Amino acid sequence: MLNWASRFQLRQYARTSLWILPVLGLVVGALLGEVALAVDDMWGVPTGWRYTAATASGVLTAIVGAMVALLGFVVTISVLVVQQATGTLSPRYMRLWYRNRLQKLVLATFAGTFAFAFTLLRRIEPGTVPDLGVTVAGLAVAVSLVMLLVYLNRFAHDLRPVAIAEMVCRTGLGVLGRYLRDKRHRPLLDEPAHPPDSMPTMIVPCTGGGAVQGVGVAELVAMAARHDCVLVVAHRMGDFVPPGAVLLEVHGTPRVPPDTRRLAGLVALGAERTIEQDPAFALRVLVDIAARALSAAVNDPTTAVQVLNHIEVFLHTVGRSELSGRHVFADKRGVPRVVVPGRGWEEYLELGVTEIREYGVGSLQVCRRLRAMLEGLLAHVPHERRGAVRGQLTLLDAAVEREYPDESRRALARTSDRQGIGSGSSEGVVIPD
């Protein structure tokens, strides 16, 4: 029987796989072809829907060839997306692009139409023509063409960096929303689960190594309640855990020592981070796209400013959410059972600002847009979180001070502007020749 981590990995593989749905389309297309043949044998079709054997054979042969060509066309577009993403955006974005449902549906439709038409071809004889199937195959081609046009439209618009940033932000906020809803439905405690200076009675080591992709909290709580102990996850989501490092700690004195292999199977590790339980991964991708735009090879600060718009949306949502650097989950009786490290407001803010400030301080519009974002956060986040924002504003001032020795240019860089350059107040500031 598969453990929780293996099931988690299978779900991840299914969500990111580009072949599972098209193969299902092949199977469904072949089955529908058999159904169409059976219906045609039982009831037939009106006279106006009948075809000669030569016409039916030519139509179905053309459909089979066209679907193969369209499949190759979509695969070519996919290769272009990979090149675009890895060259000018962020390789981490590919973890999200693989989840594109429209592309998988288009591939499945093309594969299903191919299998449907090919199934009908074997029944064409001088006196036997699957008239209903040929008509349905023609309708399937029409649907395939419409889906291709929708896909091309989506492809042309969604490959822009700003559209990708909006999608990444929306995906990350969706994960954050699910996390907050799940947290409300689980018993959470504010008190420590065990004395701060207590030593673990058992250590669960990491065997193969990898990035923490998911934690089975409900299963860990059940395991801890069964053995009357407290389980502490030693690493937060997204951390890379080397082989031999501590993966879980067992505190207390269990009635029966838990199986370390079963415990390790409740933490999913993989080659890289995934967004499934890690909303900060979306922020990581956004910052990567902005940093790539600010590199000397690309030198596109306007794209970085557009990405900052969506980083601001993400940080505003995070800033008003209930976050904690440590989550203590209790069982049904209210007994603390599992401790999972989380991310606080400071960690999210630092992730969203630091690298863009360091790489973009040489761009006036990036400095101005970054200041506008921080001032907006300062005005809207809860009072207890404003200290971290003020700290980031201080670091931005220091970076501007180092980068711009000329007073007039320094004044420009310190001007808040929500468009970077174009909407801020800069009267009386003159840029020297």
Side-chain angles (χ1 to χ4, degrees):
M1 183 178 178
L2 295 177
N3 59 27
W4 183 90
S6 298
R7 296 195 301 272
F8 180 90
Q9 295 287 358
L10 282 177
R11 291 194 300 270
Q12 289 291 301
Y13 182 79
R15 288 190 179 99
T16 58
S17 173
L18 296 177
W19 67 269
I20 293 179
L21 199 58
V23 169
L24 289 177
L26 281 173
V27 174
V28 171
L31 293 176
L32 290 178
E34 295 293 343
V35 171
L37 291 172
V39 172
D40 194 85
D41 291 339
M42 291 174 59
W43 293 308
V45 296
T47 304
W49 286 18
R50 293 179 181 174
Y51 306 86
T52 64
T55 300
S57 179
V59 168
L60 294 177
T61 301
I63 290 174
V64 169
M67 291 301 107
V68 172
L70 289 177
L71 281 168
F73 178 69
V74 174
V75 170
T76 301
I77 290 179
S78 303
V79 173
L80 292 176
V81 171
V82 172
Q83 293 176 343
Q84 170 83 0
T86 56
T88 60
L89 297 172
S90 167
R92 265 68 60 190
Y93 166 65
M94 299 308 301
R95 290 289 302 185
L96 303 180
W97 178 79
Y98 290 143
R99 297 167 174 252
N100 191 312
R101 296 178 181 176
L102 178 61
Q103 176 169 253
K104 297 176 185 179
L105 187 60
V106 168
L107 290 172
T109 303
F110 291 171
T113 303
F114 162 81
F116 184 83
F118 193 82
T119 302
L120 299 179
L121 271 175
R122 66 183 179 85
R123 285 288 302 270
I124 296 180
E125 299 174 358
T128 305
V129 176
D131 300 301
L132 177 63
V134 175
T135 301
V136 173
L139 294 175
V141 170
V143 172
S144 298
L145 291 176
V146 171
M147 293 191 65
L148 177 63
L149 293 175
V150 173
Y151 175 72
L152 289 176
N153 179 74
R154 178 78 65 86
F155 169 78
H157 289 85
D158 287 2
L159 201 57
R160 296 172 297 125
V162 64
I164 291 175
E166 192 275 334
M167 185 275 291
V168 173
C169 178
R170 185 176 64 250
T171 304
L173 291 178
V175 174
L176 179 64
R178 290 197 301 271
Y179 159 75
L180 294 174
R181 288 193 297 272
D182 291 344
K183 193 173 72 168
R184 295 190 194 102
H185 296 155
R186 299 181 190 275
L188 277 172
L189 302 176
D190 294 329
E191 64 209 43
H194 55 83
D197 56 348
S198 69
M199 298 297 294
T201 56
M202 182 184 298
I203 294 295
V204 179
C206 176
T207 55
V212 180
Q213 295 183 337
V215 175
V217 174
E219 291 76 7
L220 283 172
V221 170
M223 179 77 76
R226 187 180 308 121
H227 294 276
D228 193 21
C229 61
V230 176
L231 300 175
V232 179
V233 180
H235 301 272
R236 69 177 59 186
M237 210 67 62
D239 286 355
F240 188 89
V241 186
V246 177
L247 186 63
L248 289 164
E249 296 178 354
V250 180
H251 289 258
T253 307
R255 290 188 293 265
V256 178
D259 185 354
T260 57
R261 292 184 59 184
R262 291 189 62 187
L263 284 177
L266 298 178
V267 179
L269 303 177
E272 60 179 332
R273 293 172 68 177
T274 182
I275 200 170
E276 191 67 24
Q277 294 186 12
D278 187 8
F281 180 70
L283 193 56
R284 173 73 271 168
V285 175
L286 290 173
V287 172
D288 284 350
I289 296 174
R292 184 67 64 91
L294 293 170
S295 67
V298 179
N299 193 23
D300 185 9
T302 301
T303 293
V305 168
Q306 291 176 321
V307 174
L308 272 171
N309 296 337
H310 299 285
I311 292 176
E312 183 175 21
V313 171
F314 193 95
L315 289 177
H316 268 272
T317 304
V318 171
R320 295 191 296 268
S321 302
E322 296 180 6
L323 302 174
S324 175
R326 179 184 57 87
H327 306 295
V328 180
F329 296 93
D331 59 17
K332 295 180 180 179
R333 297 179 299 163
V335 179
R337 292 301 183 187
V338 174
V339 180
V340 179
R343 283 185 176 84
W345 164 243
E346 292 79 7
E347 286 84 0
Y348 279 102
L349 181 63
E350 183 179 12
L351 174 59
V353 172
T354 302
E355 293 182 30
I356 297 177
R357 181 189 66 242
E358 295 299 316
Y359 299 147
V361 68
S363 169
L364 282 174
Q365 65 170 318
V366 172
C367 291
R368 291 157 66 99
R369 180 65 184 92
L370 190 57
R371 181 176 297 276
M373 183 186 80
L374 291 173
E375 290 179 354
L377 290 171
L378 193 61
H380 292 95
V381 299
H383 181 76
E384 63 273 11
R385 295 181 176 177
R386 294 177 184 175
V389 182
R390 292 191 184 96
Q392 292 297 331
L393 279 169
T394 301
L395 291 174
L396 179 60
D397 287 336
V400 169
E401 188 78 22
R402 292 192 303 269
E403 184 69 21
Y404 299 96
D406 183 81
E407 180 61 33
S408 58
R409 290 178 60 84
R410 190 160 59 241
L412 275 176
R414 286 177 172 173
T415 302
S416 175
D417 192 329
R418 302 201 68 80
Q419 294 183 15
I421 295 178
S423 68
S425 176
S426 57
E427 291 82 355
V429 179
V430 179
I431 300 178
D433 295 333

